[in-house]
Amino acid sequence: MTDPCPPPFLFHADLGVEQLTARLAHQRFAPHAHEDYLIGVTLEGAEALIQRGRHEVSCPGNLRMINPGEVHAGGAADGLWAYEALYVPPRRLTEMLDCPEGVVPRFHAAVAQDALAVSGLVRLFRLLRVSQDNHERETALMLTLSRLTDRHGEPPRATFSPAVSKPAVSTIMSCLHDRLADRVSLADLAA
């Protein structure tokens, strides 16, 4: 499901996210919280966890989600537990999803069975490890987070309006024409 020996930790400065690949044996974590979203996939073994007052188990192929500030505890259920995850700052997620002011997405489940979402997340993990193309990386991250939020988030994220004014399109085309040799980020185009 994953690369044979991915690096354990990557900070993607261009995207403002962290990527963690962990393989733990008999590790337990006391109750704690993160400032960022954790969005990951259990790869091997199982994680026994307590989150939102519920005891759950995340098995291989399960999607794992933790909201910022959400207290959780747990660890390897039967000796071994391997997972890969992204840590996404709340501000970064709301920017990428173009959420209205004050709307912060929340994932409604700690563990979910969603083969399509897991497959997309695993592809994103691999892409982030190998691609040097900032546009490709940013687009893949935005699409993956958008799909995950649509499928597993509450409240629903802001909907994107397909209506774009003709002056806006002309401005974007002019910007792209002037910067043909450059990699123009989605944030630049949106501005």
Side-chain angles (χ1 to χ4, degrees):
M1 189 179 247
T2 63
D3 299 336
C5 292
F9 177 81
L10 295 167
F11 175 64
H12 303 289
D14 59 323
L15 302 172
V17 300
E18 297 173 357
Q19 183 176 356
L20 174 70
T21 304
R23 186 177 177 84
L24 309 168
H26 305 289
Q27 180 70 43
R28 303 292 299 163
F29 294 99
H32 66 286
H34 305 278
E35 293 180 12
D36 299 334
Y37 292 93
L38 178 143
I39 303 165
V41 175
T42 300
L43 302 171
E44 293 179 61
E47 175 192 14
L49 61 118
I50 301 171
Q51 188 172 322
R52 301 178 194 158
R54 295 180 53 188
H55 292 264
E56 298 192 56
V57 176
S58 180
C59 297
N62 283 162
L63 186 61
R64 184 72 174 90
M65 298 161 286
I66 304 172
N67 295 307
E70 194 165 69
V71 177
H72 58 285
D78 291 317
L80 171 68
W81 167 41
Y83 70 97
E84 189 159 10
L86 291 178
Y87 289 85
V88 182
R91 190 187 70 177
R92 186 67 178 128
L93 183 63
T94 58
E95 287 172 355
M96 292 193 94
L97 299 179
D98 195 27
C99 293
E101 187 70 31
V103 172
V104 179
R106 307 255 332 143
F107 292 106
H108 55 77
V111 178
Q113 293 182 1
D114 184 339
L116 186 61
V118 166
S119 175
L121 202 49
V122 168
R123 278 193 308 275
L124 175 65
F125 293 150
R126 286 183 182 141
L127 177 80
L128 294 179
R129 283 194 294 273
V130 300
S131 176
Q132 300 301 311
D133 184 327
N134 291 353
H135 181 72
E136 177 184 38
R137 294 159 52 87
E138 185 178 27
T139 300
L141 178 64
M142 185 172 64
L143 288 173
T144 301
L145 293 177
S146 177
R147 288 180 185 135
L148 282 169
T149 306
D150 282 345
R151 295 169 72 91
H152 299 282
E154 58 182 43
R157 68 175 176 81
T159 56
F160 295 102
S161 171
V164 177
S165 69
K166 288 183 182 180
V169 172
S170 296
T171 301
I172 289 170
M173 294 201 46
S174 176
C175 174
L176 289 172
H177 184 268
D178 293 344
R179 297 174 64 186
L180 283 174
D182 300 338
R183 289 280 184 192
V184 181
S185 73
L186 295 176
D188 289 344
L189 291 177

